[in-house]
Amino acid sequence: MTTINDRQLRSTYSALETQFRADPNTKVDGNGMVKLLAAVADTWWSGQASLEKSLSKPGITRAEQLALVKNGMGSTEKADLIRILDKGAVPLTDEVKSFLEQVVDRAAPPAPTDGALRITGNQAGGLIKGTLAAGSTVEALNLSTAPNARLTAEDTFVLGKAGADGKFQGSVPDMKEGDLIKMRSRDAAGKAGDWVTVRASGLGTDTRNAEVAIFRIGLTDEKNGKISLENINASRQVSEPGAKLMFINERTSEKTTITMDANGTFPADTKLNGKAGDSFSVRASDGTNNKDFSAEVGKVQVPGGTGGTGGGVQLPDPKLHKDEMNADGTPKFSTKRFTGPLYTDGLAATDVKQGQIGNCYMPAGVASVAHVMPEVIKEMIKDNGNGSYTVTFKEEDYRNGGYKNKEITVDADLYVRSYGGPLYGSSSGSTSPDKMEMWWPVLEKAFAQWKGSFNAIGNGGVASEVIEAIVGRPNADLSIRYSDETKVWNKIKTSVDNKMPVAAGTYGKDEASRYTNTGVHSNHAYSILGYEERGGEKYVNIRNPWGETEPWPGDGKNDGIFALKLKDFMKLYQTVYTVR
Amino acid sequence: MALPPEPLQELLPLATQIVDAEVVRVVSEGEAPEGPSAPEGATSVPYKLQSQVVVLKVNRAIRGTAKGEITVEKPQGAYLLSAGNKGGFLLQDGAPHPVIIGRYGPDTYRIETLERAVKEWK
């Protein structure tokens, strides 16, 4: 008696053995094979009786039967079937034997006659094998890795080409167990066939969870307690088809789970409960990995919030730059309360990073003050201990030609991107809301509040006017165009030696073509941190307020700090900014 | 306007091709749009420089299959190209030519940074 482990298959084969014992002329024919295969491939969602009906459906082809069986056959049933083939007591007709050999991957299927793409076997060894019309190519796309790549549904690569026998094989780079691989044929005339999708198997344990292109998730407040959810680039996937995405509203803790459609995007009219400013934790599962949704993929926030999400006082925020406003005047970005320390390891020029706003003159000026007069900045920013800060600027007093204090109080709500991090100025270290060093973003926000909005400070300006507003001294700029190396060098040297803040600006529109590939940008302000002479050459030590980008190759750090020969400085910079 | 480069995570999904290339020639230039007036010595002034159509000689494709000489469009923006300029160009599909994206063209991100990001992105 043949040892069969699968219960249904054992019962079915036992009946055939009984029949054989009663009539030694019995052979497993087509009908018997269907019964066996139904027992082999039954699943919890498609039982043996149902499968037998499908397998014996009038007109069904061998290829369709093969696909049905492959879909439900596990390793135990496959091993049982091999034992039936090799050691079974009941003889098989030649046709049945040939077909069962195909089922257990021991014989290649005949080349198809209809030219349709068919996949055979599993993907062990990273190979996809199959058949299609001779000479046709197979195009493939890994739907499981496409979301975080640039790939659209049409961004396929050629997996392989069918030989004269109709067989092909090819490998998908970085294919892992459980990946969804989408394929189609393309004939010599360029005509594409229907898509066929397989879930990769035979590659070991499925460890790749569903990827999520979190930057494609768009949230819009519908102002009725609902948030519409959309894929902001509908031609590309948010995640893999069938993946489940859980959105947890961090204000209400409500969880909403959404299943990605066949295109890896949100079903039409998908909504979440919430309002402007709400932040959602996003989790994902492909049904195998992260099934409990414990791991977070990232966070998204509904634009248009009016206040932060942390504690402390709430004060009006300066309006966004016009580029960050919708046509109807509503903001594209919302705010978040930041609770990090005012200073981390003191205060330095390198703390300052310019955000996505045209105010380079400001971080360049502020960083130059931080470099030589950190105590002035420490004195001007007062932590009120309630989530707000009072920043004291210097304003010209026309009554006496001097300066008077201008106090501006702001809270610690900063405009943030949907996927985290401040939109405008940030600090060089951590940018997380509970850790980011706050002195520079607070100073910038207060300056915007004073001048009216981020738009008011985000369309260009003069670095020395910012330095003046911090230190209360009149500016003393030098135009390089109308000067010479000696005067410029002396100006920088004197300012640095006297510990005065000093910065420099490059030429604008008319001279822009000279900057490409220099590592220095036109229409941009830089802090000057010092000077040096080595090898008979004079150098100016400069910092880009972006905190990165400098002439290549530099010192290899790409921290925006670099030494430029004075003669190059003379060509690329038009103004030295400082104060008296 | 001297803004920092756009975050790579925003550019990469848009770039259908990324090439290490050199400008061979400037084919044509558009009109420079009218810009705002600015005080003496001001920086970050929000003007835009004219668009250009240029021919690039591709040394290497970091993403995509471009090779040889390709014609691309540099949109209006913060920089200008001239023959001999080189570096990593991020290209977005466009008609009639692919469009260079990234605020500073070949100076937006170094080739090494682009290569590393493309690998990590997969």
Side-chain angles (χ1 to χ4, degrees), chain A residues 148-150 211 215-216 233 236 321 323 354-361 417 419 458-462 479 505-509 512-513 515-518 521-525 546 548-553 558 574-575 577, chain B residues 1-7 9-10 12-17 32-35 39-49 63-64 78-82 84-87 93 103-104 106-110 112-113 121-122:
Chain A
N148 276 327
R150 61 182 171 82
E211 292 185 353
F215 48 87
R216 292 199 186 110
N233 190 341
R236 295 180 165 91
H321 189 278
D323 291 348
Q354 182 185 346
Q356 291 290 329
I357 182 170
N359 71 344
C360 61
Y361 65 95
R417 297 172 180 283
Y419 50 84
N459 291 293
V462 180
S479 173
T506 55
Y507 289 98
K509 192 173 186 176
S513 60
Y515 288 90
T516 306
N517 279 177
T518 64
H521 289 275
S522 70
N523 190 27
H524 194 32
W546 301 344
E548 60 183 357
T549 308
E550 57 192 70
W552 177 254
N558 194 26
Q574 71 161 336
T575 311
Y577 310 107
Chain B
M1 196 151 60
L3 272 65
E6 306 92 326
Q9 66 208 89
E10 290 180 7
L12 281 183
L14 303 176
T16 51
Q17 299 182 75
E34 191 95 352
E40 175 74 21
T43 55
S44 270
V45 181
Y47 62 73
K48 284 187 175 175
L49 298 162
R63 173 184 281 175
Y79 71 101
L80 283 176
L81 292 174
S82 54
N85 288 154
K86 55 191 174 185
D93 288 344
R103 197 162 278 143
Y104 301 103
D107 293 339
T108 309
Y109 285 99
R110 289 178 185 164
E112 297 76 13
T113 306
W121 204 252
K122 294 218 167 186

Side-chain angles (χ1 to χ4, degrees), chain A residues 110-160:
Chain A
T113 54
D114 59 359
L117 172 63
R118 290 179 177 83
I119 307 304
T120 54
N122 62 23
Q123 287 70 53
L127 284 176
I128 294 182
K129 300 175 188 171
T131 57
L132 77 164
S136 292
T137 55
V138 181
E139 300 173 344
L141 173 68
N142 188 338
L143 296 175
S144 297
T145 57
N148 276 327
R150 61 182 171 82
L151 305 176
T152 70
E154 301 298 316
D155 286 327
T156 56
F157 68 95
V158 175
L159 178 69

Side-chain angles (χ1 to χ4, degrees), chain B residues 53-64:
Chain B
V53 174
V54 304
V55 174
L56 298 179
K57 178 173 178 275
V58 177
N59 300 316
R60 193 160 50 100
I62 296 167
R63 173 184 281 175

Side-chain angles (χ1 to χ4, degrees), chain A residues 405-469:
Chain A
N405 288 342
K406 178 71 180 178
E407 291 188 349
I408 303 291
T409 300
V410 292
D411 63 23
D413 292 343
L414 301 178
Y415 288 107
V416 290
R417 297 172 180 283
S418 64
Y419 50 84
L423 177 67
Y424 297 138
S426 64
S427 295
S428 294
S430 171
T431 56
S432 71
D434 59 336
K435 292 190 179 70
M436 187 173 78
E437 189 173 20
M438 290 298 290
W439 73 265
W440 152 240
V442 163
L443 200 161
E444 183 187 48
K445 180 177 179 180
F447 194 64
Q449 186 78 306
W450 178 23
K451 299 299 177 184
S453 67
F454 280 101
N455 192 60
I457 68 165
N459 291 293
V462 180
S464 50
E465 291 178 2
V466 172
I467 298 172
E468 182 181 1

Side-chain angles (χ1 to χ4, degrees), chain A residues 116-370:
Chain A
L117 172 63
R118 290 179 177 83
I119 307 304
T120 54
N122 62 23
Q123 287 70 53
L127 284 176
I128 294 182
K129 300 175 188 171
T131 57
L132 77 164
S136 292
T137 55
V138 181
E139 300 173 344
L141 173 68
N142 188 338
L143 296 175
S144 297
T145 57
N148 276 327
R150 61 182 171 82
L151 305 176
T152 70
E154 301 298 316
D155 286 327
T156 56
F157 68 95
V158 175
L159 178 69
K161 185 174 183 180
D165 60 356
K167 294 180 193 171
F168 78 92
Q169 72 172 40
S171 60
V172 177
D174 194 31
M175 179 170 62
K176 289 193 165 67
E177 179 78 14
D179 281 0
L180 286 172
I181 312 297
K182 186 174 171 180
M183 290 163 279
R184 68 180 172 192
S185 62
R186 190 174 291 279
D187 66 20
K191 187 182 171 200
D194 294 334
W195 289 110
V196 173
T197 302
V198 297
R199 188 173 284 282
S201 62
L203 295 165
T205 307
D206 180 356
T207 57
R208 172 144 52 209
N209 190 19
E211 292 185 353
V212 180
I214 203 151
F215 48 87
R216 292 199 186 110
I217 298 175
L219 303 172
T220 306
D221 177 22
E222 296 196 336
K223 304 189 192 307
N224 58 359
K226 297 287 181 189
I227 304 297
S228 68
L229 195 55
E230 64 167 341
N231 178 355
I232 61 176
N233 190 341
S235 66
R236 295 180 165 91
Q237 298 167 229
V238 169
S239 189
E240 67 181 39
K244 292 185 186 306
L245 265 59
M246 178 182 279
F247 289 78
I248 304 175
N249 187 322
E250 295 192 324
R251 179 177 56 84
T252 65
S253 300
E254 184 181 17
K255 298 174 180 174
T256 307
T257 304
I258 295 155
T259 303
M260 295 288 100
D261 67 14
N263 296 316
T265 192
F266 302 113
D269 294 325
T270 303
K271 313 274 186 211
L272 302 171
N273 291 323
K275 63 179 185 179
D278 278 359
S279 180
F280 290 84
S281 169
V282 183
R283 287 111 195 274
S285 175
D286 61 358
T288 301
N289 296 286
N290 199 33
K291 284 202 284 196
D292 61 357
F293 294 99
S294 57
E296 182 184 78
V297 179
K299 292 184 194 296
V300 289
Q301 193 165 24
V302 188
T306 54
T309 51
V313 297
Q314 292 291 337
L315 298 170
D317 296 312
K319 283 187 178 172
L320 286 155
H321 189 278
K322 63 180 170 54
D323 291 348
E324 280 89 49
M325 304 283 275
N326 292 310
D328 63 0
T330 56
K332 290 179 183 173
F333 296 86
S334 57
T335 60
K336 192 168 187 68
R337 174 57 56 93
F338 278 63
T339 57
L342 200 49
Y343 309 105
T344 305
D345 297 331
L347 181 158
T350 50
D351 295 341
V352 178
K353 278 189 81 173
Q354 182 185 346
Q356 291 290 329
I357 182 170
N359 71 344
C360 61
Y361 65 95
M362 190 182 180
V366 169
S368 68
V369 178

